[in-house]
Structures are given as C-alpha cells and as structure tokens.
Amino acid sequence: MTCNTEDWMHRFRRGNSDYCNFVVRMSLLKPFSKLPALNTANILLVESEEQLQQNLAESLVEESAFTVNVRLAKSLPLPTENDESRPRIDLVVFIIHLTSELSLQSVEASVKYLDPGYFLGKVCFMVTNARNASVPSERLDAVRKLAASLHCPLLFAEDQSPTGVTNATQRLLTILKVSAGLVPMVTALHLSNLTHCTVPPDIDQPSFD
Amino acid sequence: MDESMKRLLQRLVRRIPAQMLKTTLEKCVRLTASQQRSVEVLQPKWAFTETLLDICEENGWTVKHVTKLEMTCFMDNPNQGMWYAFQLVDPEDDAHAVELMQFKEKFKYHLKDLVRPVSIKIKKHTDEAVWIRIAWGDGFSPPNHLKPTYVVHYLQTPYVFVTNLTSKRKPLLCQALVLSTRHQIIKDANLSGRKLTAVRDLLMKQYQQAFPIKYPSPLAERHETVSNPHIEKEQAESASKRFQMACEAFGDGMLPQLQTSIYKLETKFRDHTNKTMTDREKPFRCVVKFESTNLLESLRSCASSGIASTPVTPLLSSIPLKGRNYFVVTDNTPGPASQTRQPLD
C-alpha cells in the first residue's frame, strides 16, 4: 500500500494529466487481488447492448461440475460501490456485435480499464454476426487486430438461436475452467498461447468482394 | 331507386370490407329472416354487394341509410387515412356548459349557413366522443358521399380530430366548430397520425405516466427478484436510473402507437470540419423524420438502454409532453416553435 501512495504523490506533482492517469489506474480491474473460492469460477460478460449476455448467463449457471458466478456489465469501468462484494474475476469476455460500430467502440474504450495482468489468458473476445453480409469487413479486421495485439482468443458466436447460445456457452466454459485454475497442469497463459487470435499477413490487402 | 343512387350505393358498399358490413348489419339494422339468411351465406364480395343492393331496394333504403352504415363501420375501424388534431383556444364563458343537443343544433346550423348543400350526420359514440360525418357539396353539385370528412370531438375538451379534410373546406369547418363550441380560435395542434386512438391518447394524456419521485421503491423487501443468485448485474443502479428517467419522459406501460415524428430544421449548419457549409449565412433547411411501428416505445427503449442520453433531450420528450409530433426547430428557440401546418389534400 505504501508504494502505491508514493506513486500517487509523484504523479500528483507531475500534473493534471497524470492525475487522470492515476484515476484510471485506481479503477482498474485486477486479476489477483482477491482470494479465489473453492470449486468456483467467476466470469464477467461485458456487452454494450446487454442482450446476449443475459442468455449466456442463464446458460452458464446451469453448469453443474463447478459453481459459475456471472457478472454482467455494459462497459468498464465497473462501479466502485460493488468493489467489496465483487469476487475475483477469472475471465473477462468482451462481446462485440459486428452489426454495430458502437459495440466495437465501447469495447475499445472498456479494454483500457483492465489491469495488464488480465491479458495473460484471462480475457477473451466474442463476436456475433460475422457471417452477416451487411457488416463491413474492416470491422472484423479491426477486432482481429485488437484481439491479436492483446494476445487473446477470438470466439465467433451465433446469438439468434438456443443452440448457438449453448455452443458459445460450452466454449466459454472450457476457457473459464482453465482460467479459474480448475484444470490441473494447464494455466490460462498456456491456453492463450495456443488459442490466441492471429492476424493473417495479408489482412490489410483489399479482399475480393 | 334511380341509377345514380344505385351506382353510389354500389361504390359505397364496395369500399367497406365484407366482414365489417355483415357485423354492422346485424348490429344496427333490422332485416327480415330471408334477408338475414342471404347475408350470412359465404360469398365473394361482388355477390355480397349484389345481395345487399337487393336488400336496399326491398327495404326502400336511401343514401341516408347506407351512409349511416358506412359511418358505423368507420367508427368501428377508424384507423384509415391520416388524422389531424386541432385545439380550440380562448373559450367563452359558457364553453364548459355546451352539451350534446346544443352542439348538434348549432353545428348543423352554422355549417349549413356557410355551405350548401351539405350532408351532416352527428352521432355520439360509447366513449363520450361526438362523431360528425360531413359530405360536402357546392352550389353546383350534390354532397359527395364518397369523400366524407370525419370529425371527432370530445365535448367540454378543447380537442378536435379530423380526417379527410381538404384545404378548401378547412376554413368552413373551423368556423362552424368555433361557433358551435363557444370558443374564439381553433388552431392546428401539430399532431397527426394514422391511429385515432393513439393520437387521442397522446393529446389527452390517457396513458400511464410516471412522475419523478424521490424514493422509487419504498417497499424494496417486497420486490425481491427471483432471478438467479449467481447472476449479478454490475451496473444495475445506473440502468434502473436510466429506465426511471426514460419512463418519466415517455410514460409507463403501454404507450400510444404514434408512428412518425417530423422535425423541420431551420438552424445554421454547424460542423467544424466543413468550412464551406458552416460559413453560409442562411440557415440549413432539412427535415428529420423518425418512423416506427410504435415510435414512443422505441424512443423509451433508446433512452433506457443508453443509446439516447439521459436526461432525455427536450426534442424527444416534447412529443409526449406537448402532445405533438411536428416541430420546427430554429436557432433561438431550441424547443419546438409554433408554426401551423396545412393538412394535405
């Protein structure tokens, strides 16, 4: 705690912009600052439209092998009033609807409020409507670049049907189990090395549409 | 009956859907047993029209009866065409004492004074509304029953709803209304829509409204939600605040089904990146139109989901607050200005 205060003092002297920096730093969600619970995994779903996350949540809590707690948010930062009651978040999922530009912008802004420790396998991006013809291809490319630069896996989900939601749930549970430490011999970092998104070298070249 | 009347009857009957005709016939007209049977037979519309015309001949019906039938059908299904709302202003001292018989007599007298020939039918609906059907004629031709104007007025309120009125006849109708309701001026309420019930509910505020209260849920213990304890919303408080503000702006529960909202902008163009347009002296004229199957419902969900910023901008919240959906936005008055708009021919 002491080193944090000194840090704060230094930054405060350096000026206002650094004070804002400090404020952002203080509202970061941290991955290891709380103790985990027994046989429990906590997942945070961040979605600007607040629709798919509800269906996913209802499907996720049906998991019986271990307890799944789901927290739903529209964007980050999370309200500080809930800091005390919030458990340790094992996996943060950003849901982007490719049909909306606002969705991507909201996620790009929210990503800044995560402690860098999360990006070692505890963040994943989920994208919907990737097959939709009216979606500009630049948007999916932008999401790919974002996921690749942050070294996170990119999942594609189909949110209109119950089977689509179930499939997405299963995939999230697989990653969640590893991130929560419930799978022996596998860590989140290990898994993310295998599953993180990569950008093909010709991503910036125009496609044949 | 002569040929012209027959043709008129044919055209009138043809315009009304068969099912509605049948139900209205059963409701308000006494038919003999054989006539009743012939009506109930399932037949194509043209055959049904023929049957009906035969019944008309047998019973000696005239245009009067058929227009009464048409009016009843229209009263049951008023959502055809565009309804325009008008407001009566400056009541005289006895405006609040106008009752039905007095209104009927005065309206007929004044309108017949202004235009002749004209066919007027006044009926009181079950929900206290007075319906007036006007078929206009001029000096040279008889009343045109194929394009009647319908007027709905709630006695002792200053609201009048009109459909199918041409701009030529508008001053005549306005004069008759003003004189018979004992007001001084009638003006356009800047509200129009396809559904009479929606227009009426919006203007007369007959929907559930939410008022700002300091402690929204005093009995929090009773409102324990039975949702899954494992699922928790992080930003539930801000979401409920947004929902509360959206409801305060637009109302709770079912909202009147308004379909369009038009903003006529006469403001200067303001965009820092576009110097040529911004430097123009004259205001940039453009019209913004919002369309939806249920506009107020969609605006409310925009506000509660955060797409529209809360507190709701007066441009949007004026729609239910002032009961209008046509606004002229100028630079000095960011709220809606008062300019009348003519109902279209």
Side-chain angles (χ1 to χ4, degrees):
Chain A
M1 280 317 266
T2 353
C3 78
N4 269 345
T5 329
E6 277 176 28
D7 202 40
W8 171 74
M9 296 286 277
H10 278 176
R11 297 211 174 268
F12 188 68
R13 279 185 208 120
R14 270 195 232 141
N16 212 16
S17 61
D18 286 322
Y19 174 68
C20 296
N21 222 339
F22 157 76
V23 168
V24 167
R25 191 79 69 73
M26 275 307 283
S27 52
L28 287 182
L29 195 60
K30 295 197 166 50
F32 296 113
S33 54
K34 296 188 186 185
L35 291 173
L38 206 56
N39 210 28
T40 310
N42 305 304
I43 183 171
L44 172 68
L45 301 175
V46 180
E47 182 194 1
S48 165
E49 285 77 15
E50 294 182 302
Q51 288 193 342
L52 175 58
Q53 60 181 195
Q54 187 63 41
N55 297 338
L56 275 177
E58 281 159 17
S59 187
L60 280 165
V61 296
E62 285 169 14
E63 170 64 33
S64 51
F66 55 100
T67 315
V68 179
N69 291 323
V70 184
R71 314 281 288 196
L72 305 176
K74 191 176 158 86
S75 63
L76 297 177
L78 300 177
T80 46
E81 300 88 53
N82 298 348
D83 275 345
E84 291 301 315
S85 60
R86 192 182 308 130
R88 183 180 91 158
I89 302 287
D90 297 309
L91 181 65
V92 179
V93 183
F94 290 101
I95 301 177
I96 301 174
H97 293 278
L98 285 177
T99 43
S100 151
E101 183 68 35
L102 278 176
S103 201
L104 176 56
Q105 286 172 355
S106 165
V107 163
E108 281 171 350
S110 301
V111 156
K112 300 185 189 124
Y113 289 92
L114 277 184
D115 187 272
Y118 266 107
F119 294 104
L120 301 171
K122 287 175 174 279
V123 173
C124 117
F125 289 87
M126 179 175 276
V127 147
T128 67
N129 297 115
R131 285 184 286 200
N132 194 323
S134 60
V135 164
S137 53
E138 296 82 35
R139 213 171 280 165
L140 180 56
D141 288 346
V143 176
R144 275 218 162 97
K145 285 186 193 167
L146 178 67
S149 68
L150 295 171
H151 230 72
C152 302
L154 177 62
L155 300 178
F156 291 85
E158 193 265 290
D159 61 337
Q160 299 295 326
S161 67
T163 42
V165 172
T166 319
N167 288 339
T169 312
Q170 289 307 314
R171 293 201 200 133
L172 283 181
L173 280 172
T174 315
I175 307 181
L176 178 63
K177 262 198 274 194
V178 173
S179 310
L182 298 170
V183 177
M185 310 299 260
V186 186
T187 62
L189 186 56
H190 188 181
L191 185 64
S192 76
N193 267 332
L194 299 172
T195 58
H196 71 91
C197 181
T198 49
V199 164
D202 60 350
I203 192 169
D204 284 323
Q205 285 173 14
S207 55
F208 292 98
D209 271 335
Chain B
M1 45 170 101
D2 58 348
E3 270 309 307
S4 64
M5 186 137 28
K6 244 193 178 164
R7 246 180 292 128
L8 174 65
L9 285 174
Q10 251 180 353
R11 288 174 77 179
L12 272 177
V13 168
R14 218 180 287 157
R15 284 210 309 200
I16 312 172
Q19 194 50 45
M20 210 171 301
L21 266 181
K22 282 186 194 166
T23 41
T24 321
L25 272 174
E26 283 159 31
K27 252 197 322 187
C28 51
V29 175
R30 234 169 290 145
L31 300 169
T32 64
S34 61
Q35 286 172 344
Q36 190 82 21
R37 272 197 302 271
S38 59
V39 161
E40 276 166 20
V41 166
L42 201 67
Q43 37 184 266
K45 184 73 188 293
W46 60 267
F48 180 72
T49 317
E50 294 293 312
T51 323
L52 199 58
L53 284 174
D54 292 335
I55 295 178
C56 290
E57 283 228 36
E58 280 175 27
N59 290 1
W61 286 356
T62 58
V63 176
K64 222 169 135 189
H65 295 91
V66 184
T67 51
K68 180 172 165 214
L69 198 63
E70 191 214 358
M71 187 170 175
T72 321
C73 288
F74 193 80
M75 280 166 69
D76 286 333
N77 182 21
N79 298 332
Q80 310 162 24
M82 283 295 268
W83 286 89
Y84 295 91
F86 290 87
Q87 189 158 354
L88 299 157
V89 182
D90 289 340
E92 309 261 345
D93 292 331
D94 54 350
H96 298 289
V98 172
E99 47 87 38
L100 183 62
M101 293 312 299
Q102 194 184 354
F103 173 74
K104 266 166 103 159
E105 279 173 24
K106 283 198 147 170
F107 184 79
K108 284 188 175 163
Y109 170 73
H110 286 299
L111 195 61
K112 286 197 168 141
D113 211 15
L114 291 167
V115 57
R116 221 177 265 152
V118 69
S119 153
I120 310 174
K121 263 192 165 39
I122 304 188
K123 246 181 118 158
K124 186 154 188 216
H125 201 48
T126 43
D127 65 344
E128 303 301 312
V130 178
W131 281 71
I132 309 172
R133 178 186 190 277
I134 306 167
W136 306 89
D138 52 30
F140 309 108
S141 47
N144 184 357
H145 283 285
L146 295 168
K147 292 196 180 157
T149 302
Y150 283 93
V151 179
V152 178
H153 174 52
Y154 287 80
L155 287 174
Q156 280 114 37
T157 66
Y159 304 116
V160 181
F161 305 97
V162 182
T163 184
N164 216 8
L165 179 69
T166 58
S167 50
K168 205 166 71 156
R169 316 287 192 189
K170 188 179 164 200
L172 308 170
L173 177 65
C174 290
Q175 177 79 342
L177 279 170
V178 155
L179 289 170
S180 52
T181 55
R182 307 286 294 144
H183 284 78
Q184 298 223 2
I185 312 169
I186 186 169
K187 62 176 181 129
D188 193 357
N190 284 324
L191 176 64
S192 69
R194 291 200 156 266
K195 296 200 167 184
L196 174 64
T197 41
V199 170
R200 179 200 66 199
D201 288 343
L202 187 66
L203 196 54
M204 296 176 40
K205 297 233 187 308
Q206 285 177 359
Y207 56 95
Q208 197 176 351
Q209 294 169 64
F211 297 100
I213 38 179
K214 190 160 181 199
Y215 300 105
S217 41
L219 299 169
E221 303 85 39
R222 296 246 189 104
H223 292 271
E224 285 293 326
T225 44
V226 281
S227 68
N228 203 316
H230 292 290
I231 304 176
E232 191 165 324
K233 289 198 170 167
E234 287 279 345
Q235 288 138 343
E237 209 185 291
S238 60
S240 70
K241 269 201 204 125
R242 275 201 310 260
F243 183 69
Q244 181 67 18
M245 285 207 262
C247 283
E248 278 169 25
F250 295 105
D252 256 339
M254 293 279 292
L255 298 175
Q257 276 194 326
L258 206 62
Q259 271 128 4
T260 55
S261 170
I262 300 181
Y263 296 86
K264 197 163 148 211
L265 300 179
E266 282 170 10
T267 51
K268 281 199 70 177
F269 193 90
R270 270 186 278 263
D271 182 7
H272 300 294
T273 55
N274 193 337
K275 285 292 284 178
T276 38
M277 289 299 290
T278 320
D279 287 341
R280 290 224 179 130
E281 279 309 312
K282 290 209 196 139
F284 182 71
R285 288 164 181 271
C286 85
V287 173
V288 178
K289 185 173 180 185
F290 288 91
E291 266 196 63
S292 165
T293 42
N294 190 339
L295 183 71
L296 292 176
E297 179 69 53
S298 41
L299 287 177
R300 183 175 65 180
S301 63
C302 271
S304 72
S305 68
I307 298 174
S309 60
T310 44
V312 183
T313 163
L315 284 171
L316 293 177
S317 61
S318 306
I319 302 174
L321 193 67
K322 305 207 173 161
R324 47 188 294 181
N325 67 352
Y326 177 77
F327 301 94
V328 177
V329 183
T330 55
D331 271 320
N332 356 338
T333 51
S338 58
Q339 270 203 20
T340 55
R341 182 256 317 249
Q342 305 301 319
L344 304 167
D345 278 324

